[in-house]
Amino acid sequence: MYQLSGVTKRYRRGKATVDALAGVDLIIEDGGRLVIQGPTGGGKSTLLQMLGGLDRPTAGTVELDGVDLARLSEARLTKVRAQNIGFVFQSFNLIPTLTAQENVETALVPLGVKAAARRERAAEVLASVGLGERLSHLPGEMSGGQQQRVAIARALVKRPKVLLADEPTGNLDESMRDEIVELLEGLWKEYGLTFVMVTHDSAIARRAPRLATIRKGKVAIADNVDA
Ligand SMILES: Nc1ncnc2c1ncn2[C@@H]1O[C@H](COP(=O)(O)OP(=O)(O)OP(=O)(O)O)[C@@H](O)[C@H]1O
Ligand SMILES: [Mg+2]
């Protein structure tokens, strides 16, 4: 479970300061699915970075299962990320010179998984995202939707507790978008993930059981009884 209390992130630009997050309190239950919306510059990506331990708040606490990510040493934080948190971004961030299989395997290297087990687990999760036939393709030999599937496989191969996605369909055309969202929602159920997704797509937001809207660093939560 995530428990955020008074999370503030202040950026300085010369003499000006911006509170990208301005005192955010938020609880996300294990296995929950939260969709985040809001205007550009509202603080969505900043919040996701706090949840993922990619950055630290200026003030406040970001607890994951009772451990405050804001106070962990860099080494412990890196370990928490490597074991527990999968990320998917708008830009797929694949390594262009590595095959689909090798890209997915990279997530297991910091966990000390042996080469044979890495190969097996990567192939398995690539099959589960529908890319069983594309293991030896390079990113440049795949469509955008396929590349994002590789990125999703890379995020999930470590069997994380949490999946964080920042506009994962932002670079895809409409038909691909629906496919990727359906895939993510299916994986959320299948793996019992805690799933937080930033999206501009209001059709996705309407289907979300819980919707957070972030404006000027402040979060408002709405529960959707129809979803
Ligand atoms: N590294 C940084 N240095 C200075 N200001 C930053 C930095 N990162 C973000 N900001 C500022 O913090 C605010 C929130 O940014 P953030 O990226 O979280 O917005 P967002 O909601 O994800 O927007 P978008 O929809 O455009 O992705 C913005 O005003 C942005 O300019
Ligand atoms: Mg953003």
Side-chain angles (χ1 to χ4, degrees):
M1 179 177 94
Y2 274 110
Q3 184 155 16
L4 278 63
S5 305
V7 173
T8 295
K9 181 68 183 179
R10 176 164 292 176
Y11 290 112
R12 249 169 244 290
R13 259 201 239 102
K15 276 188 187 149
T17 60
V18 182
D19 284 349
L21 297 175
V24 173
D25 300 320
L26 180 64
I27 287 180
I28 307 172
E29 302 288 351
D30 285 345
R33 177 155 69 92
L34 179 70
V35 166
I36 300 178
Q37 279 206 307
T40 181
K44 303 182 295 295
S45 296
T46 306
L47 178 61
L48 226 58
Q49 282 168 7
M50 298 299 142
L51 294 174
L54 289 173
D55 202 348
R56 292 172 198 271
T58 312
T61 57
V62 182
E63 286 184 14
L64 176 59
D65 299 333
V67 175
D68 185 5
L69 302 184
R71 286 165 187 274
L72 286 185
S73 68
E74 206 51 51
R76 293 266 318 277
L77 194 56
T78 302
K79 202 165 167 206
V80 168
R81 276 199 308 263
Q83 289 177 334
N84 299 318
I85 304 173
F87 292 95
V88 179
F89 299 97
Q90 177 172 354
S91 54
F92 320 122
N93 295 351
L94 299 175
I95 299 172
T97 53
L98 298 183
T99 65
Q101 161 105 30
E102 290 163 346
N103 265 287
V104 174
E105 282 185 38
T106 58
L108 294 177
V109 173
L111 299 181
V113 179
K114 298 248 162 45
R118 286 206 302 266
R119 271 197 296 280
E120 197 177 313
R121 278 173 63 176
E124 207 173 282
V125 69
L126 278 163
S128 81
V129 300
L131 290 181
E133 314 286 294
R134 297 280 187 281
L135 302 186
S136 57
H137 284 233
L138 295 169
E141 299 168 344
M142 287 183 281
S143 71
Q146 288 170 337
Q147 290 182 61
Q148 192 61 303
R149 283 168 189 264
V150 176
I152 292 166
R154 180 183 54 188
L156 294 180
V157 72
K158 57 189 165 187
R159 300 171 188 146
K161 230 181 113 71
V162 176
L163 180 64
L164 304 175
D166 197 348
E167 298 188 46
T169 61
N171 279 356
L172 302 175
D173 66 38
E174 219 166 299
S175 64
M176 292 271 196
R177 246 181 260 164
D178 294 343
E179 271 183 41
I180 292 292
V181 168
E182 276 167 30
L183 175 68
L184 286 167
E185 289 178 358
L187 293 165
W188 162 66
K189 280 203 192 108
E190 188 181 338
Y191 292 105
L193 298 161
T194 303
F195 179 29
V196 183
M197 175 165 64
V198 173
T199 183
H200 282 294
D201 188 331
S202 22
I204 298 173
R206 274 196 294 275
R207 290 215 299 270
R210 220 167 151 232
L211 183 64
T213 306
I214 308 191
R215 279 174 219 286
K216 297 184 177 164
K218 299 259 189 210
V219 173
I221 296 276
D223 288 305
N224 184 356
V225 287
D226 301 328

